[in-house]
Amino acid sequence: MVGIIGHSLFHDLIFFSSNIFVARVDEALRVKEKCPNALSMLGSLELKNDEWVKAKETFRVANEAMGGNDSYASSCLGNWNYFAALRNEKRSSKLEATHLEKAKELYKNVPKLASGTTYARIPDVWINMGHVYFAQGYFMSVVKMVGMSSFSSSIFAICLCF
């Protein structure tokens, strides 16, 4: 009984926190309709709620709000394409390959967009590129991407290949 009550309270807390987060994002969008940060957060929430098409459009609008130069929104669009390629539904190998190539293209552009910002130094982009290369079977490129991130341990890089 305690486990069930604890789980229920935990679920209520998560739901409550999520509602507060959504309210804050909505508030930010009321102040600035095309706020790229708020739109990117909203897109992440939409992805979490399995609203894929809606999330892609939200990330696209966030990126366009910065003239197509928003490094975080571009990274989110790359993530969207990567996850779309690996979804469990039946998919064609051509569609999977298209999504992986688009993810790779978006990830490659992020460091250029983020140059001089804190985001450029975050290793996530390199790790994400490594995931794409891994899905495509380019294992030596995985090692290179991991080496470019702060996770440059050769043991970690080798383990990724197996």
Side-chain angles (χ1 to χ4, degrees), residues 12-111:
D12 290 346
L13 179 62
I14 296 295
F15 182 75
F16 180 72
S17 298
S18 179
N19 285 339
I20 290 173
F21 186 73
V22 170
R24 295 290 182 220
V25 169
D26 287 343
E27 185 178 317
L29 291 173
R30 278 193 299 277
V31 172
K32 184 178 178 187
E33 185 179 333
K34 302 276 183 173
C35 177
N37 291 339
L39 287 167
S40 292
M41 286 185 240
L42 179 61
S44 294
L45 285 171
E46 291 165 347
L47 262 184
K48 186 176 179 349
N49 292 329
D50 212 25
E51 300 174 81
W52 285 74
V53 175
K54 197 173 178 183
K56 182 180 182 182
E57 179 61 19
T58 302
F59 291 137
R60 189 189 60 72
V61 171
N63 198 32
E64 285 179 359
M66 296 292 290
N69 295 321
D70 188 271
S71 58
Y72 186 75
S74 290
S75 181
C76 289
L77 282 167
N79 291 344
W80 186 94
N81 279 281
Y82 173 73
F83 292 133
L86 302 179
R87 288 201 45 137
N88 290 332
E89 293 96 24
K90 284 191 170 187
R91 60 188 184 271
S92 71
S93 57
K94 184 177 179 181
L95 183 61
E96 180 180 335
T98 301
H99 280 303
L100 288 172
E101 282 302 314
K102 184 63 179 173
K104 189 165 51 174
E105 174 188 320
L106 287 158
Y107 290 146
K108 281 183 180 179
N109 199 35
V110 168

